[in-house]
Amino acid sequence: MHRILKNKKFISVLLFIVLLGLFLVMVRNYSYNDVLQTIQKDDIAIIYTNDIHGVSKKNLGFDSLAHFKSSVESKTNNVITVDSGDDVEGTYMVKASDGKFAAKMMNEIGYDYATLGNHDFNLDDNKLQEFIDMSNVQFLACNYNAKKIKPYHIKEINGKKIAFIGVAHPMNTTPEMLYKQVQSSINEVKNNDANFVILLTHLGEEPKQTEDFTVNKLANNISGADVILDGHTHSTIKDTIINNIHICQAGSSLRNFGLITISYDNNINFKIIDEYNDKNEQFTKFIEQSKKEVDPNYDEVMCKTEAEIPYNGEGNMVSCSREDPLGNLLCDSYLEAINADCAITNATGYRSNIPKGNVTKEDMKDLFAFGDDIEKIEVTGADLQDILEHACRKTQREFQDENGYPVGSCAEFMQVANINFRIDTSVPSSVKTDGRNSFVAVTGERRVKDIKVKGEPLNINKIYTLVTSKYLAGGGCGLTMLKDKQVLENKSDIDNILCNFITNKLDGKTSEYVDTKGRIVVN
C-alpha cells in the first residue's frame, strides 16, 4: 500500500512537471532555434521590425538581426525584410547623422520595404528626402506623396503574389480619408491578382493609442487585407485578429524580431523572437566603424555611476503613469543647475537608461534623444495645478490590464522635483483638450489633490519659479499655460548638466535613485 501511494505521488509530480512544461511552451515567445527548425525550404519568410530608432548598442541589435536573417536564408531563399517606421529619431547616432546612420544599417541588412513613422517626419523635407534617396529600401505609403515613395509593391515569389502596402503615420488628414486611401490600394492590388495583402502601418493599437488613428480602427474599416504589421506604440504583439485581419508588432529598438512564414499550401505562422545570442561579427565591426564616422568621440566617458538607473518608458510604460526614479534624477539635476522652486520634465522627453559604471557621450545623447536646453520661468500656482491635471488626465489605479497591456499611460505625464501630489483615480478627468491634445480647461472636479511645493501646500495665487526643458517652457506636450512666459534664466547642454550633477553632487552614488521617493501617489 505504501509503495502504491509513493508511486501515485511520483506520477502526480511527474504529471505536474509535464503540464507546467507545456504551459511554459504555450506562453513564451520563440528563440531562434525553435524558429529555424520550423522553416521549410519552400516557405516564404517575412522578417519585420518597427520603431528601431537607429538603436546601435542595446537589445538584440542590428548585428544579431544580420545573423538571424542569414540563418533564415540558410533555410529558404524566399526571405523578405520589412519595417513599419520610426527609423531616424530617438538615438544619438541617427540624430547626429540626420538619419544617415539608420539608412546605412538598413542598407547593410538588406531591408526590402518600409513605411514612415511620426518621428521620421521630424526631419525637414530636404533631409527626409536625403534619407530616402540614400536608402536602398523601397519606401511605401499610400497616404503620403514624395519622390521614390510608392503606395504599394507586389512581389511575386515562389509562385505567389504578395502585396505590401505602406501606411505612413497620418499627417493632415481624417480617419475617413485614410480608410479610403488604404482601401483603394487594397482594391488595386487585388485587381492585380495579389494572393496575400500585407500592410505596413505606423498607427498604434488600443488601449495604448487612444487617438482617432489606431490600427484597431483601421482594421475595422477596411476589407481584403490579410496582415497588418504595425508600429508607433512599441508593443509586442505576436498575432491579434481584428475583422479577420492578423495584426502584429515587434516592440521597439530591436528588442525583438518578428517573423511570418507562409507555407507552400498557404498556412501562415506568426512568431516573435525575443532571444538571439549570435551576432554577425563583421556587422558588429561595421556598426562601430559607422559610429566613428558620425562622431569619433562617441565612446568618451562623461561620468561614472555605482548603479544603473533603468529606463521605464518601454513595455508597460510605467514612467508615463507613475513616479519614475530616472525622471526624479533628471528633475533634481535641473534644480541643481538653476535655482528654482520646482522642476518638471515630460516622461517621453528621455529615452534610455543610465548604465552602471562608465557613462559615455553616446549614453547621454541617447538618454536625451531629442536634445534640449533648460529654462527658468515664473508660473502661478494655478498654472502648476493645471499642468498636473493635464499630465494625469489618463492615469488609472493600475498601470496594466490582465493581459499585461499598459493602461492609463500618457505621453504628457510629468516627473517632478520639489513637488508632491496625489492622483485620485476615482475622479474622472474633466480636462478639456483641443484636437491636438493641448490643454484648454478643467471643467469639473480635479483628480490631482494634496499638491505641495517645497513641502508647503500649493497656493494657486502665488508666483513660483519653475525650471524645465525649453520644449515644455514653450508650450510643448500641450502645456498652453506656459506659452509666452518670460524666460528668467537658461542653460544649454542638458546632458552635461546631468553629468555634472552625478559627478559633483552625487559623487557617482546613483543608487539613491534606484527607487522612487514618494513624490507621486496614485490611489
Side-chain angles (χ1 to χ4, degrees):
M1 183 67 176
H2 181 67
R3 181 177 295 176
I4 292 172
L5 289 174
K6 284 181 68 176
N7 287 341
K8 283 184 177 180
K9 185 177 180 180
F10 173 77
I11 292 170
S12 297
V13 172
L14 182 61
L15 181 60
F16 172 78
I17 293 172
V18 171
L19 291 175
L20 178 62
L22 288 174
F23 173 76
L24 292 174
V25 168
M26 287 190 293
V27 299
R28 69 180 175 86
N29 289 331
Y30 291 84
S31 70
Y32 65 98
N33 283 326
D34 297 325
V35 170
L36 294 178
Q37 290 173 9
T38 65
I39 299 174
Q40 305 299 314
K41 66 176 182 178
D42 291 327
D43 286 351
I44 298 171
I46 301 169
I47 300 171
Y48 66 91
T49 59
N50 56 271
D51 299 273
I52 58 178
H53 292 290
V55 67
S56 64
K57 62 183 179 63
K58 62 180 181 179
N59 303 328
L60 301 185
F62 282 112
D63 40 7
S64 288
L65 178 59
H67 192 282
F68 175 68
K69 182 181 178 185
S70 64
S71 297
V72 175
E73 289 172 335
S74 71
K75 295 289 185 177
T76 175
N77 293 324
N78 310 316
V79 180
I80 305 169
T81 309
V82 301
D83 181 77
S84 292
D86 269 9
D87 303 318
V88 304
E89 185 91 18
T91 56
Y92 175 49
M93 286 298 150
V94 289
K95 185 175 181 63
S97 65
D98 293 324
K100 294 180 177 64
F101 179 83
K104 287 185 70 172
M105 296 300 110
M106 295 176 77
N107 286 346
E108 193 72 11
I109 290 288
Y111 276 86
D112 296 285
Y113 309 110
T115 195
L116 296 170
N118 54 305
H119 285 298
D120 298 322
F121 290 107
N122 287 358
L123 296 176
D124 64 37
D125 290 345
N126 290 333
K127 289 179 179 177
L128 178 58
Q129 193 61 57
E130 288 176 7
F131 166 70
I132 293 170
D133 289 343
M134 180 180 175
S135 300
N136 298 329
V137 184
Q138 174 60 66
F139 281 90
L140 305 173
C142 66
N143 58 328
Y144 177 73
N145 293 320
K147 189 175 67 173
K148 290 192 175 181
I149 293 182
K150 298 166 59 176
Y152 60 82
H153 188 269
I154 300 175
K155 185 175 184 67
E156 189 164 354
I157 186 168
N158 202 24
K160 296 178 174 65
K161 287 186 175 181
I162 303 177
F164 292 91
I165 300 172
V167 184
H169 189 76
M171 308 285 287
N172 303 318
T173 188
T174 64
E176 291 72 24
M177 180 61 71
L178 181 69
Y179 305 151
K180 288 180 180 178
Q181 290 169 324
V182 175
Q183 190 62 60
S184 176
S185 289
I186 293 173
N187 294 343
E188 285 188 36
V189 299
K190 286 286 191 181
N191 289 336
N192 282 290
D193 300 322
N195 302 110
F196 292 95
V197 178
I198 298 176
L199 273 55
L200 307 179
T201 68
H202 197 88
L203 301 174
E205 97 292 355
E206 301 167 23
K208 273 191 180 180
Q209 168 71 310
T210 59
E211 309 308 326
D212 289 337
F213 297 101
T214 69
V215 71
N216 308 59
K217 292 175 182 176
L218 176 66
N220 278 315
N221 284 276
I222 60 173
S223 62
D226 298 292
V227 177
I228 300 178
L229 302 179
D230 190 37
H232 190 47
T233 42
H234 297 194
S235 307
T236 303
I237 306 171
K238 184 176 76 172
D239 178 24
T240 295
I241 300 176
I242 298 177
N243 193 23
N244 295 318
I245 302 172
H246 298 268
I247 298 173
C248 310
Q249 199 176 146
S252 65
S253 301
L254 296 178
R255 286 186 290 139
N256 313 293
F257 311 141
L259 180 71
I260 299 172
T261 54
I262 303 173
S263 68
Y264 187 77
D265 54 0
N266 295 333
N267 287 322
I268 306 180
N269 289 294
F270 302 87
K271 293 180 175 66
I272 293 287
I273 294 88
D274 61 355
E275 171 196 340
Y276 202 90
N277 299 321
D278 292 330
K279 294 183 180 295
N280 182 314
E281 293 182 4
Q282 283 187 313
F283 207 104
T284 303
K285 293 177 182 177
F286 175 74
I287 293 172
E288 296 305 311
Q289 176 188 341
S290 300
K291 286 160 74 170
K292 284 192 176 293
E293 290 173 2
V294 175
D295 183 353
N297 301 314
Y298 78 93
D299 54 355
E300 172 191 352
V301 177
M302 294 187 65
C303 59
K304 296 182 179 182
T305 62
E306 68 174 9
E308 178 190 9
I309 311 299
Y311 171 56
N312 295 315
E314 298 284 7
N316 290 322
M317 302 179 74
V318 177
S319 62
C320 292
S321 65
R322 296 292 189 275
E323 178 186 349
D324 178 45
L326 182 52
N328 289 345
L329 176 63
L330 302 188
C331 287
D332 286 354
S333 74
Y334 300 169
L335 286 180
E336 182 68 17
I338 297 180
N339 183 40
D341 292 320
C342 52
I344 62 171
T345 191
N346 56 308
T348 51
Y350 52 96
R351 294 297 180 101
S352 188
N353 69 319
I354 296 179
K356 177 182 178 179
N358 292 336
V359 181
T360 66
K361 180 179 181 180
E362 184 183 14
D363 292 326
M364 276 295 160
K365 296 292 187 182
D366 279 353
L367 172 64
F368 298 110
F370 308 111
D372 212 342
D373 301 335
I374 58 173
E375 295 184 340
K376 178 180 178 178
I377 57 176
E378 286 186 337
V379 297
T380 65
D383 289 332
L384 286 176
Q385 193 178 36
D386 286 343
I387 288 169
L388 297 179
E389 200 69 28
H390 179 69
C392 303
R393 68 190 187 278
K394 296 181 182 179
T395 307
Q396 298 184 26
R397 188 176 182 86
E398 303 295 334
F399 62 85
Q400 64 182 23
D401 64 17
E402 63 276 7
N403 297 314
Y405 284 106
V407 294
S409 62
C410 180
E412 298 87 30
F413 193 82
M414 295 293 155
Q415 304 296 329
V416 299
N418 279 0
I419 300 175
N420 295 78
F421 62 93
R422 177 174 63 88
I423 308 168
D424 184 352
T425 57
S426 69
V427 177
S429 175
S430 60
V431 171
K432 181 181 178 182
T433 62
D434 64 13
R436 295 188 175 184
N437 284 330
S438 292
F439 177 84
V440 176
V442 178
T443 60
E445 182 183 354
R446 292 178 181 269
R447 64 199 329 238
V448 177
K449 303 180 184 298
D450 305 329
I451 305 172
K452 292 183 178 180
V453 179
K454 299 176 74 172
E456 297 293 327
L458 179 76
N459 182 340
I460 63 171
N461 298 311
K462 183 178 177 178
I463 300 297
Y464 296 90
T465 51
L466 172 71
V467 60
T468 188
S469 66
K470 182 178 180 180
Y471 170 69
L472 293 182
C477 278
L479 301 185
T480 53
M481 71 292 290
L482 297 187
K483 285 184 176 180
D484 303 320
K485 299 284 189 183
Q486 182 181 356
V487 177
L488 305 177
E489 188 178 351
N490 74 294
K491 285 195 175 181
S492 57
D493 294 330
I494 198 168
D495 45 349
N496 279 316
I497 287 170
L498 177 58
C499 273
N500 289 337
F501 180 73
I502 290 173
T503 301
N504 300 325
K505 183 70 175 180
L506 301 181
D507 193 26
K509 295 180 173 61
T510 50
S511 56
E512 66 176 278
Y513 285 93
V514 170
D515 298 315
T516 55
K517 297 178 178 289
R519 298 177 183 182
I520 303 172
V521 176
V522 179
N523 56 28

